[in-house]
Amino acid sequence: MYRTLYGPQGGHINLDGRNVINMASNNYLGLANHPALVAAAKEAIDQFGVGPCASRNIVGNFTVHDELEEKLAKFKDVEATLVFNCGVSANSGVIPCLVGKGDTIYSDELNHGSIIDGCRLSRAEIKVFKHMDMDSLETKLKEPVTGKRLIITDGVFSMDGDLAPLPDMADLADKYDATLVVDDAHGDGVMGPYGKGTVEHFGLRDRIHIETGSLSKAFGAAGGFVAGSRELIDKIRPQARSFIFTASPLAPCLTAAALKAVEMVSADDSLVKKLWENREYFAARMQKLGLNIGSTVTPVIPVIVGEGEKAQQMSQSLYEKGIYAQGLQFPVVPRGAARLRVMVSAAHTKEDLDRAADAIEASAKELGLL
Ligand SMILES: Cc1ncc(COP(=O)(O)O)c(C=O)c1O
């Protein structure tokens, strides 16, 4: 069973009736309960009501959807975006618009489940390459194919916090005439200047033309999107099945909250900077303890403990100390690499991070990991 929140998402939460420091959510910038987002959502409810009750291509397209798409395009430095009701829908809807039967997809073995679903729905042949291994990718690209080629990867991998080697992937995409698609659900609002994402972090805006993303993480709301050229968006809008067949498009209140978040992040990078300051501080403490945090370079910090049972015990022991971090085990992560996934946020204070690090040290000692 999963645990239940008795109040808003934030640096601290009431989880199953206990107040704990929240080291488990994707609320990277602490925007989920920000007064400006809450106000925007309330205003949108007053203006537009609650349910959209129609797909956007019928009568479910509200002015806030159009505004969000425009602002998001500016934020991502692309011509256009299209907003879906979540990132899962974006991936499952977009990928089949890009390739189909007779084409080939090259997919990192640790790509998010919604990328995998989108690839399967496309009916293209799927070649899975080893995680971030460019030799493995190139070996697969060398195999002859007839149709189009599409390489797809997470920007930031959500279980390990490592970054896809996008410059090398862009080179391989050019060399083998493939389209490179990046799902930056955990990079938007986090990576690059003003949190513009992993593509901006690597300075590859001119070379990577299609991204999918989510508004449920750093932007503190909900929703998913695809970003790219106007021609691409015009092709996807009438075709993506998860877009045209749902009468549950992103609700206007969530759209308005996401819009507010995009406006705030575009105008002021102080939250992104705070997130990184917190991340560096916390990661350094974990490293000093000698814990195995894998190859993370982002605010997703895995503490790899090995066996699934250990990860669950550690999560429980931390909960009892007033900290919540999720224990993850097979099949979510590879066998033998079970972990505590610690998510750092701009909503944390230094004191929160110290308390969390002290508790992790104590629990790791209790479990014989230190
Ligand atoms: C890489 C990646 N893509 C897509 C998604 C799905 O986004 P959403 O939560 O908006 O459905 C997630 C969410 O967990 C993710 O980690």
Side-chain angles (χ1 to χ4, degrees), residues 261-281:
V262 172
E263 285 171 351
M264 286 170 63
V265 177
S266 305
D268 178 1
D269 63 353
S270 56
L271 286 175
V272 176
K273 286 186 168 146
K274 173 89 192 303
L275 169 67
W276 280 95
E277 210 180 285
N278 282 351
R279 187 270 165 205
E280 296 307 329
Y281 182 77

Side-chain angles (χ1 to χ4, degrees), residues 305-313 327-330 336 338-339:
V305 299
E307 292 315 308
E309 207 183 320
K310 274 251 151 82
Q312 298 313 333
Q313 284 168 348
L328 298 167
Q329 63 190 79
F330 182 81
R339 66 199 60 189

Side-chain angles (χ1 to χ4, degrees), residues 86-88 91 112 114 154 158 183 185-186 214 216-217 223:
C86 66
V88 167
N91 279 329
H112 189 257
S114 60
D154 284 23
S158 60
D183 171 354
H186 290 267
S214 171
S216 71
K217 297 171 171 60

Side-chain angles (χ1 to χ4, degrees), residues 17 23 30 36 45 63 94 140 183-184 201 214 230 234 245-246 272 276 281 288 307 330 350 363:
M23 309 292 296
I45 286 188
T63 54
V94 168
K140 304 227 177 252
D183 171 354
D184 214 15
H201 165 80
S214 171
R230 193 164 300 283
D234 287 345
F245 289 122
T246 183
V272 176
W276 280 95
Y281 182 77
K288 206 164 159 207
E307 292 315 308
F330 182 81
K350 282 266 153 41
S363 298

Side-chain angles (χ1 to χ4, degrees), residues 237-253:
R237 192 184 294 109
Q239 244 194 78
R241 295 172 69 83
S242 58
F243 183 83
I244 57 179
F245 289 122
T246 183
S248 297
L250 191 62
C253 57

Side-chain angles (χ1 to χ4, degrees), residues 185-265:
H186 290 267
D188 284 321
V190 173
M191 297 302 303
Y194 283 79
K196 282 169 177 280
T198 310
V199 169
E200 289 285 348
H201 165 80
F202 284 116
L204 291 170
R205 175 49 59 223
D206 294 341
R207 297 185 64 199
I208 297 178
H209 305 294
I210 309 178
E211 283 183 63
T212 56
S214 171
L215 299 157
S216 71
K217 297 171 171 60
F219 296 112
F225 64 92
V226 55
S229 67
R230 193 164 300 283
E231 190 187 359
L232 172 86
I233 301 302
D234 287 345
K235 174 179 150 76
I236 292 171
R237 192 184 294 109
Q239 244 194 78
R241 295 172 69 83
S242 58
F243 183 83
I244 57 179
F245 289 122
T246 183
S248 297
L250 191 62
C253 57
L254 285 165
T255 312
L259 170 62
K260 178 56 74 180
V262 172
E263 285 171 351
M264 286 170 63
V265 177

